Amino acid sequence: MYKNAHALFLSFLALAFMSGCTFSTEKLAMLPKPQVERPFILGWQPITSEISGKEAHRELHKNYNEAVTSAASEMGWTLKRLVLTNDSNLSTTFDPTQYRSTSRYSIDAPDIGCETTVQENERVLSNCLVNVNVGGFEGVQPPDGVQLVTSRAWGFDQSMDHFIKVQSNDGRILPELAFSKLVSANLPSSVFMYLPQEGGVWLNGGEIIQ
């Protein structure tokens, strides 16, 4: 039963991928004015009776991570997933708005000066990282421009701390926009990425919304 429900949920996500029929200008009109000068993700995904909020959150986290690894491969980067303590609170909270899951990767890409070393104690050191964070969910009515297979949706906005961002520990400039475009191309059409560069850029389906 669980496997069938799981497969059904994945089919819902696949349909969400194909729902991007809204024109770019209409997409911009339905998006909020950013209140923070940092990268974040907002979006909507279907609520179904077969899948719990926690499982939906896990699927979104998996989706983010798969998009990151695919984008890194296209960039020619080698990623190593780092072990984090307390990387999720799903086992301790029942409030969907408080859900959190985190992943972090080191980047090995000599052409842009990113290096990863593994010490004898297996500690991984890197001057370049990819951080993935999935914050909370809230039950919402999706806007008219977002076509989902259900009328009920989990929504996540800029206040819920969803983000995928690259970071350097030595001040070097990383190709964040190019990488984020590739990430965005592998996310559902109901998910939007914001970057503060160039006065603020929205990405959807791998393209800059204009």
Side-chain angles (χ1 to χ4, degrees):
M1 176 64 182
Y2 173 79
K3 289 184 178 179
N4 289 338
H6 189 75
L8 179 62
F9 181 73
L10 291 178
S11 69
F12 280 141
L13 287 184
L15 286 171
F17 267 98
M18 299 184 289
S19 64
C21 56
T22 305
F23 292 107
S24 191
T25 53
E26 294 173 339
K27 289 179 180 179
L28 269 183
M30 75 182 187
L31 295 172
K33 181 178 176 59
Q35 302 299 315
V36 294
E37 286 302 309
R38 57 177 173 76
F40 66 84
I41 299 174
L42 66 78
W44 301 265
Q45 69 180 94
I47 291 178
T48 71
S49 59
E50 293 86 1
I51 300 296
S52 70
K54 289 187 178 182
E55 186 58 27
H57 189 277
R58 292 187 183 98
E59 287 293 343
L60 187 61
H61 188 210
K62 179 182 177 183
N63 194 186
Y64 284 0
N65 282 280
E66 289 177 346
V68 162
T69 54
S70 176
S73 177
E74 291 188 61
M75 295 288 289
W77 300 352
T78 299
L79 297 186
K80 181 176 179 60
R81 189 163 180 169
L82 305 179
V83 177
L84 303 178
T85 58
N86 301 319
D87 62 349
S88 177
N89 69 349
L90 295 184
S91 63
T92 59
T93 183
F94 298 95
D95 180 0
T97 65
Q98 300 299 318
Y99 291 166
R100 188 205 72 252
S101 294
T102 304
S103 301
R104 185 170 298 144
Y105 300 85
S106 66
I107 303 172
D108 193 75
D111 59 322
I112 57 173
C114 293
E115 298 179 349
T116 297
T117 58
V118 181
Q119 298 181 321
E120 290 183 2
N121 61 2
E122 297 187 354
R123 182 184 178 191
V124 177
L125 299 179
S126 178
N127 60 328
C128 304
L129 301 169
V130 182
N131 295 286
V132 179
N133 199 73
V134 188
F137 277 159
E138 186 176 11
V140 297
Q141 180 74 31
D144 291 339
V146 176
Q147 304 298 320
L148 298 178
V149 293
T150 65
S151 59
R152 298 170 61 240
W154 292 114
F156 38 101
D157 61 23
Q158 55 194 309
S159 69
M160 291 183 173
D161 218 20
H162 289 235
F163 61 80
I164 296 171
K165 63 181 180 182
V166 294
Q167 159 192 334
S168 67
N169 295 331
D170 56 8
R172 73 180 56 251
I173 303 301
L174 300 176
E176 185 171 14
L177 180 57
F179 175 72
S180 297
K181 282 184 176 181
L182 294 174
V183 172
S184 173
N186 287 286
L187 294 176
S189 61
S190 57
V191 174
F192 297 78
M193 298 181 70
Y194 175 79
L195 300 177
Q197 293 102 311
E198 302 177 13
V201 174
W202 283 104
L203 300 175
N204 181 249
E207 302 292 336
I208 295 176
I209 304 175
Q210 297 177 339

